[in-house]
Amino acid sequence: MAEHKTKYDRQLRIWGEQGQAALEKASICLLNCGPTGSETLKNLVLGGIGSITIVDGSKVEEGDLGNNFMVDESCIGQSKAKCVCSFLQELNDAVKAKFIEENPEELIKTNPSFFSQFTLVVATQLVEESMVKLDIICREANVMLIFARSYGLTGFVRISVKEHTVIESKPDHFLDDLRLNNPWPELTRFTETIDINVPDPVVHKHTPYVIILIKMADEWAKSHGGCLPATRDEKREFKEMIKSRMIAIDEDNYKEAIDASFKVFAPRGISSSLLHVINDPSAEVTSNSSDFWIMVAALKEFINNEGGGEAPLEGSIPDMTSSTELYVNLQKIYQAKAESDMLIVEQRVRDILKKIGRDTNSISKTKIKSFCKNARKLAVCRYRLLEDEFNSPVQPELQKYLTDDDYSIAVGFYVLLRAVDRFVTNFNSFPGQFEGVMDEDISRLKATAVGLLNDLGCNSSTLTEDLINEMCRYGAAELHAVSAFVGGIASQEIIKLITRQFIPMSGTFIFNGIDHKSQLLML
Amino acid sequence: MAKQISCSRSRDLDKLLLRSGNLVGPTFDPGTDLRNDLQEYAKVLVVGAGGLGCELLKDLAFSGFKNLEVIDMDRIDVSNLNRQFLFRFHDVGKPKAEVAAERVMERVNGVNIVPHFCRIEDKELDFYNDFSIIALGLDSVEARSYINSVVCSFLEYDADDNPREETIKPMVDGGTEGFKGHARVIMPGITPCFECTIWLFPPQVKFPLCTLAETPRTAAHCIEYAHLIKWDEVHDGKTFDPDDPEHMQWIYSEAVKRAELFGIPGVTYTLTQGVVKNIIPAIASTNAIISAACALETLKIASGCSKTLSNYLTYNGVDGLHTKVTEFEKDKDCLVCGPGILIELDTTISLKKFIDQLEDHPKLLLSRVSVSYRGKNLYMQAPAVLEEMTRSNLDKPLHELMDKCPKDIVHVTGAAGKSGSKQSCLRKLRVVFKVNDGVIDMDVANGA
């Protein structure tokens, strides 16, 4: 156990014991174990994923030794799935590693129920037809799915999950929840017990900025008909007012107050993104609703009633210049309010559960507590079915990408990555896969891509000859460095999906290995 | 037969190296010669054999390079195993560079990796000059800064202050923290060097000692109190060793006591380690992404098979997925990659006096200075043998030691910065000797 903790220390600091436990419970299925798939799994196995099942029907060839670290000389002629599996097992004996020697495309066709046993399927190097089929299978079975593909100096990663909800989104920079523009009675009362105009310089410079700002805001409101500073001039005047109360130039707490004064000017109430979440149709709960949406329903009630337009208080405060005593007392006041807000939400959760006929204790207090603490940062991600995207991409977005210079290579690759799959259907090989027919392949790929663009209702002139040539030059090569990049991204997104922490990517990530101007396309 | 095997093995890479394209670098000359040159002549140094270094070695070995070297002073620790995939439990305690080199050679046939288990400062400058490209997989600003100054010291400028192409040694640098990272290409003299954009790495925030001593508010304050104040008070002269578990345990229990005294929540053993050792969270996936970008750029620089990253890629996977390329500008007055600081001297000045001047020079503030000229050590602070050998030069005029050359580049190494935060560095100086009352004309100087 101690060893487990030490070994995973650097990642436990990111996703904690809970995130780690989720990873250790997860079972992952990989389709095709070329370098893209192998590198994806490698990153997960090192991190202690529960189990992996590798599906690949091919044998190791000489060429595989030039791009896949998981196979070596002794593997030639053997099952690739078996060889990759045994190397990955070597990386971490806590992981249950299995392999199935079978062609994934066959498996998709003949045994769709196979996939329902997994937490997540990662499908690499599949052509469009198989992707579309697998997507429908996994969507119905409620299994998370992620596609990854490396192709020359390009590639893509695409998540396909009906709905992914995140409580612990852990954003990097998020405005703290201090309510300086809207203090609750206990905080106001506490502030009133403190005299910020004390003559003692040591006490004066150790009054936390939270108290200074609440006092100043109150003072301002009294002389401005109850309003807080709103215009640029008023804001400047407010800062000047704070500055005028300094009694020495080294008072860090006052400098912090001036820097934090924007927190007083911030509008009250919830953000537009939270508003979006509580107004989501799923917040109208039924007996089939998930715990997340039941808690959102309770949150919505809280905001509209006890919260007075605000979410439950987060309860933590940032470090600030202060005496220890004032800081600790202030912390307790914030925590107490967070606790009482949480109890109200909890009661509402229990009431809702009762109303929809579920066990009132089926959502734990710990979960509700975490939900309340993160209420301002909730995230809901939804992904279109691949089939829908392919048949009817979001036109305004597509048009924007086709005409925007920043997107021209990325959207070109998007179209060409689809075109090469049509190409393979028509000509039984990828463009440029074999020597000697390059010129022919270039004109065929061009015709295919133009046809595809026409099907999508787009002007085909946007696709450059250079990029079409480039795509043929790649000849479906799976370069190791590109695979490591694409696989790295796929594994990182998988970690986010499984731990339910942080926010997974949306849209389709198109890797641009030419100048690294990769893009997310929201189609 | 052998040739055929190698052809088949480079099945995928050949597409990129043997075929022409329009979106490629200006020097790209596809063909088997290019592939062979990469294998035979290109020599890449990987600095660091940690999370990035392990990935870099593997990625480079699969990107057509056969001659690799790796330098790292660390030994393998259990906490490395969640991402440094070349290491196993039974390797714990062994030198990273050696194990990493061996593992990659075992699996990738034909690649040769020379490990160097030592500090980067232990190597002669010539060691670094021997590589075509240097790839950095480091986690410290100081180490990056040092390698950067070494690589920039090779850079020479012509009479018009344009960099001489043959002296440009490309560097590729990667860095990660949690779900975030960066990859960049440095072409000294052309694109910004590490020092030009040092502001990208803001200094670590340190707590004021008075906060720790008088008004602690957070768990970290209590830990740093035990670490920076209490330890020295209690342990007379004994230095704190962050790798000694007993020492760490002591800090932890002292921090707990202090936190209880002030009613501060949150001191844990994990946090104590994190604060004291300034642990940066690290995971396999981010390292894989950043290293792959670096290896791909290394291949592109060496072969011209595609355009080069220009010049700084950031990756952030915290909230969705964001990648961004920024083209930073070179700082014309950069002390490290610029043409060098101009120092005007009298022909009579002794080496000793010259060294003293550098200590007071406002842009240098160098102490413990060693001086070398055209690869020759004029004065060395260490090791003792070299110091003794070169000591007699101190009283000689620098002009004579430089063979009476009127204007030339002199390299100095030493410790720079204010007391307390000194770091070793290398600076390039343009020394010009004054004759009578004027500087010697440049053209005449070149003819000498």
Side-chain angles (χ1 to χ4, degrees), chain B residues 382-399:
Chain B
V385 196
L386 269 182
E387 198 280 331
E388 216 182 301
M389 274 170 63
T390 53
R391 197 185 302 154
S392 61
N393 282 341
L394 284 174
D395 295 326
K396 293 180 190 164
L398 179 63
H399 191 230

PDB file of all heavy atoms in Angstrom, chain B residues 382-399:
ATOM      1  N   ALA B 382      38.598  25.340 -10.892  1.00  0.00           N
ATOM      2  CA  ALA B 382      38.595  23.949 -10.431  1.00  0.00           C
ATOM      3  C   ALA B 382      38.725  23.063 -11.656  1.00  0.00           C
ATOM      4  O   ALA B 382      38.389  23.499 -12.762  1.00  0.00           O
ATOM      5  CB  ALA B 382      37.263  23.651  -9.713  1.00  0.00           C
ATOM      6  N   PRO B 383      39.185  21.835 -11.532  1.00  0.00           N
ATOM      7  CA  PRO B 383      39.701  21.196 -10.315  1.00  0.00           C
ATOM      8  C   PRO B 383      41.064  21.771  -9.897  1.00  0.00           C
ATOM      9  O   PRO B 383      41.687  22.501 -10.656  1.00  0.00           O
ATOM     10  CB  PRO B 383      39.839  19.730 -10.742  1.00  0.00           C
ATOM     11  CG  PRO B 383      39.968  19.771 -12.221  1.00  0.00           C
ATOM     12  CD  PRO B 383      39.179  20.951 -12.683  1.00  0.00           C
ATOM     13  N   ALA B 384      41.483  21.392  -8.704  1.00  0.00           N
ATOM     14  CA  ALA B 384      42.678  21.976  -8.095  1.00  0.00           C
ATOM     15  C   ALA B 384      43.910  21.873  -8.998  1.00  0.00           C
ATOM     16  O   ALA B 384      44.698  22.817  -9.091  1.00  0.00           O
ATOM     17  CB  ALA B 384      42.953  21.307  -6.750  1.00  0.00           C
ATOM     18  N   VAL B 385      44.036  20.742  -9.681  1.00  0.00           N
ATOM     19  CA  VAL B 385      45.207  20.550 -10.556  1.00  0.00           C
ATOM     20  C   VAL B 385      45.243  21.622 -11.639  1.00  0.00           C
ATOM     21  O   VAL B 385      46.276  22.232 -11.913  1.00  0.00           O
ATOM     22  CB  VAL B 385      45.136  19.162 -11.262  1.00  0.00           C
ATOM     23  CG1 VAL B 385      46.485  18.787 -11.826  1.00  0.00           C
ATOM     24  CG2 VAL B 385      44.574  18.110 -10.328  1.00  0.00           C
ATOM     25  N   LEU B 386      44.077  21.846 -12.247  1.00  0.00           N
ATOM     26  CA  LEU B 386      44.009  22.837 -13.322  1.00  0.00           C
ATOM     27  C   LEU B 386      44.220  24.241 -12.787  1.00  0.00           C
ATOM     28  O   LEU B 386      44.836  25.086 -13.425  1.00  0.00           O
ATOM     29  CB  LEU B 386      42.662  22.750 -14.039  1.00  0.00           C
ATOM     30  CG  LEU B 386      42.585  21.807 -15.243  1.00  0.00           C
ATOM     31  CD1 LEU B 386      41.205  21.859 -15.869  1.00  0.00           C
ATOM     32  CD2 LEU B 386      43.627  22.203 -16.292  1.00  0.00           C
ATOM     33  N   GLU B 387      43.694  24.463 -11.596  1.00  0.00           N
ATOM     34  CA  GLU B 387      43.862  25.789 -10.984  1.00  0.00           C
ATOM     35  C   GLU B 387      45.340  26.079 -10.831  1.00  0.00           C
ATOM     36  O   GLU B 387      45.828  27.161 -11.174  1.00  0.00           O
ATOM     37  CB  GLU B 387      43.132  25.825  -9.631  1.00  0.00           C
ATOM     38  CG  GLU B 387      42.856  27.228  -9.092  1.00  0.00           C
ATOM     39  CD  GLU B 387      44.063  27.869  -8.411  1.00  0.00           C
ATOM     40  OE1 GLU B 387      44.916  27.132  -7.862  1.00  0.00           O
ATOM     41  OE2 GLU B 387      44.167  29.110  -8.454  1.00  0.00           O
ATOM     42  N   GLU B 388      46.058  25.083 -10.322  1.00  0.00           N
ATOM     43  CA  GLU B 388      47.490  25.256 -10.097  1.00  0.00           C
ATOM     44  C   GLU B 388      48.226  25.493 -11.414  1.00  0.00           C
ATOM     45  O   GLU B 388      49.086  26.362 -11.511  1.00  0.00           O
ATOM     46  CB  GLU B 388      48.031  23.989  -9.415  1.00  0.00           C
ATOM     47  CG  GLU B 388      49.113  24.281  -8.409  1.00  0.00           C
ATOM     48  CD  GLU B 388      49.628  22.980  -7.814  1.00  0.00           C
ATOM     49  OE1 GLU B 388      48.803  22.254  -7.231  1.00  0.00           O
ATOM     50  OE2 GLU B 388      50.821  22.701  -7.962  1.00  0.00           O
ATOM     51  N   MET B 389      47.835  24.725 -12.426  1.00  0.00           N
ATOM     52  CA  MET B 389      48.491  24.850 -13.727  1.00  0.00           C
ATOM     53  C   MET B 389      48.275  26.212 -14.359  1.00  0.00           C
ATOM     54  O   MET B 389      49.127  26.725 -15.074  1.00  0.00           O
ATOM     55  CB  MET B 389      47.942  23.787 -14.686  1.00  0.00           C
ATOM     56  CG  MET B 389      48.642  22.439 -14.586  1.00  0.00           C
ATOM     57  SD  MET B 389      47.734  21.212 -15.539  1.00  0.00           S
ATOM     58  CE  MET B 389      47.892  21.888 -17.186  1.00  0.00           C
ATOM     59  N   THR B 390      47.109  26.781 -14.134  1.00  0.00           N
ATOM     60  CA  THR B 390      46.767  28.027 -14.824  1.00  0.00           C
ATOM     61  C   THR B 390      47.012  29.262 -13.959  1.00  0.00           C
ATOM     62  O   THR B 390      46.892  30.388 -14.429  1.00  0.00           O
ATOM     63  CB  THR B 390      45.284  28.021 -15.258  1.00  0.00           C
ATOM     64  OG1 THR B 390      44.481  27.717 -14.115  1.00  0.00           O
ATOM     65  CG2 THR B 390      45.025  27.000 -16.352  1.00  0.00           C
ATOM     66  N   ARG B 391      47.342  29.036 -12.681  1.00  0.00           N
ATOM     67  CA  ARG B 391      47.470  30.166 -11.753  1.00  0.00           C
ATOM     68  C   ARG B 391      48.493  31.197 -12.223  1.00  0.00           C
ATOM     69  O   ARG B 391      48.285  32.406 -12.082  1.00  0.00           O
ATOM     70  CB  ARG B 391      47.818  29.649 -10.355  1.00  0.00           C
ATOM     71  CG  ARG B 391      47.551  30.700  -9.275  1.00  0.00           C
ATOM     72  CD  ARG B 391      48.016  30.195  -7.909  1.00  0.00           C
ATOM     73  NE  ARG B 391      47.350  28.949  -7.533  1.00  0.00           N
ATOM     74  CZ  ARG B 391      47.895  28.053  -6.699  1.00  0.00           C
ATOM     75  NH1 ARG B 391      49.100  28.256  -6.183  1.00  0.00           N
ATOM     76  NH2 ARG B 391      47.239  26.954  -6.395  1.00  0.00           N
ATOM     77  N   SER B 392      49.566  30.687 -12.816  1.00  0.00           N
ATOM     78  CA  SER B 392      50.637  31.597 -13.207  1.00  0.00           C
ATOM     79  C   SER B 392      50.198  32.587 -14.291  1.00  0.00           C
ATOM     80  O   SER B 392      50.807  33.621 -14.494  1.00  0.00           O
ATOM     81  CB  SER B 392      51.846  30.796 -13.694  1.00  0.00           C
ATOM     82  OG  SER B 392      51.444  30.043 -14.821  1.00  0.00           O
ATOM     83  N   ASN B 393      49.101  32.283 -14.981  1.00  0.00           N
ATOM     84  CA  ASN B 393      48.612  33.202 -16.022  1.00  0.00           C
ATOM     85  C   ASN B 393      48.005  34.471 -15.440  1.00  0.00           C
ATOM     86  O   ASN B 393      47.863  35.469 -16.135  1.00  0.00           O
ATOM     87  CB  ASN B 393      47.534  32.509 -16.872  1.00  0.00           C
ATOM     88  CG  ASN B 393      48.132  31.546 -17.878  1.00  0.00           C
ATOM     89  OD1 ASN B 393      49.320  31.644 -18.187  1.00  0.00           O
ATOM     90  ND2 ASN B 393      47.323  30.623 -18.373  1.00  0.00           N
ATOM     91  N   LEU B 394      47.582  34.397 -14.187  1.00  0.00           N
ATOM     92  CA  LEU B 394      46.819  35.495 -13.601  1.00  0.00           C
ATOM     93  C   LEU B 394      47.539  36.836 -13.704  1.00  0.00           C
ATOM     94  O   LEU B 394      46.906  37.877 -13.895  1.00  0.00           O
ATOM     95  CB  LEU B 394      46.474  35.195 -12.133  1.00  0.00           C
ATOM     96  CG  LEU B 394      45.346  34.176 -11.925  1.00  0.00           C
ATOM     97  CD1 LEU B 394      45.188  33.852 -10.442  1.00  0.00           C
ATOM     98  CD2 LEU B 394      44.021  34.710 -12.475  1.00  0.00           C
ATOM     99  N   ASP B 395      48.843  36.816 -13.564  1.00  0.00           N
ATOM    100  CA  ASP B 395      49.567  38.086 -13.588  1.00  0.00           C
ATOM    101  C   ASP B 395      49.985  38.521 -14.991  1.00  0.00           C
ATOM    102  O   ASP B 395      50.486  39.613 -15.181  1.00  0.00           O
ATOM    103  CB  ASP B 395      50.806  37.989 -12.681  1.00  0.00           C
ATOM    104  CG  ASP B 395      50.384  37.811 -11.227  1.00  0.00           C
ATOM    105  OD1 ASP B 395      49.332  38.388 -10.865  1.00  0.00           O
ATOM    106  OD2 ASP B 395      51.065  37.083 -10.488  1.00  0.00           O
ATOM    107  N   LYS B 396      49.764  37.637 -15.972  1.00  0.00           N
ATOM    108  CA  LYS B 396      50.154  38.010 -17.336  1.00  0.00           C
ATOM    109  C   LYS B 396      49.085  38.905 -17.966  1.00  0.00           C
ATOM    110  O   LYS B 396      47.899  38.778 -17.641  1.00  0.00           O
ATOM    111  CB  LYS B 396      50.308  36.742 -18.203  1.00  0.00           C
ATOM    112  CG  LYS B 396      51.465  35.861 -17.803  1.00  0.00           C
ATOM    113  CD  LYS B 396      51.557  34.643 -18.709  1.00  0.00           C
ATOM    114  CE  LYS B 396      52.558  33.664 -18.148  1.00  0.00           C
ATOM    115  NZ  LYS B 396      52.419  32.323 -18.744  1.00  0.00           N
ATOM    116  N   PRO B 397      49.493  39.754 -18.901  1.00  0.00           N
ATOM    117  CA  PRO B 397      48.477  40.575 -19.585  1.00  0.00           C
ATOM    118  C   PRO B 397      47.569  39.686 -20.453  1.00  0.00           C
ATOM    119  O   PRO B 397      48.067  38.784 -21.134  1.00  0.00           O
ATOM    120  CB  PRO B 397      49.305  41.507 -20.472  1.00  0.00           C
ATOM    121  CG  PRO B 397      50.698  41.414 -19.972  1.00  0.00           C
ATOM    122  CD  PRO B 397      50.856  40.074 -19.341  1.00  0.00           C
ATOM    123  N   LEU B 398      46.292  39.958 -20.406  1.00  0.00           N
ATOM    124  CA  LEU B 398      45.332  39.170 -21.187  1.00  0.00           C
ATOM    125  C   LEU B 398      45.663  39.258 -22.679  1.00  0.00           C
ATOM    126  O   LEU B 398      45.529  38.298 -23.426  1.00  0.00           O
ATOM    127  CB  LEU B 398      43.899  39.672 -20.917  1.00  0.00           C
ATOM    128  CG  LEU B 398      42.786  38.961 -21.673  1.00  0.00           C
ATOM    129  CD1 LEU B 398      42.700  37.494 -21.282  1.00  0.00           C
ATOM    130  CD2 LEU B 398      41.437  39.633 -21.428  1.00  0.00           C
ATOM    131  N   HIS B 399      46.097  40.435 -23.085  1.00  0.00           N
ATOM    132  CA  HIS B 399      46.421  40.670 -24.484  1.00  0.00           C
ATOM    133  C   HIS B 399      47.457  39.657 -24.995  1.00  0.00           C
ATOM    134  O   HIS B 399      47.325  39.118 -26.084  1.00  0.00           O
ATOM    135  CB  HIS B 399      46.939  42.108 -24.629  1.00  0.00           C
ATOM    136  CG  HIS B 399      47.063  42.552 -26.057  1.00  0.00           C
ATOM    137  ND1 HIS B 399      48.194  43.137 -26.553  1.00  0.00           N
ATOM    138  CD2 HIS B 399      46.194  42.502 -27.086  1.00  0.00           C
ATOM    139  CE1 HIS B 399      48.028  43.415 -27.830  1.00  0.00           C
ATOM    140  NE2 HIS B 399      46.805  43.052 -28.181  1.00  0.00           N
TER     141      HIS B 399
END
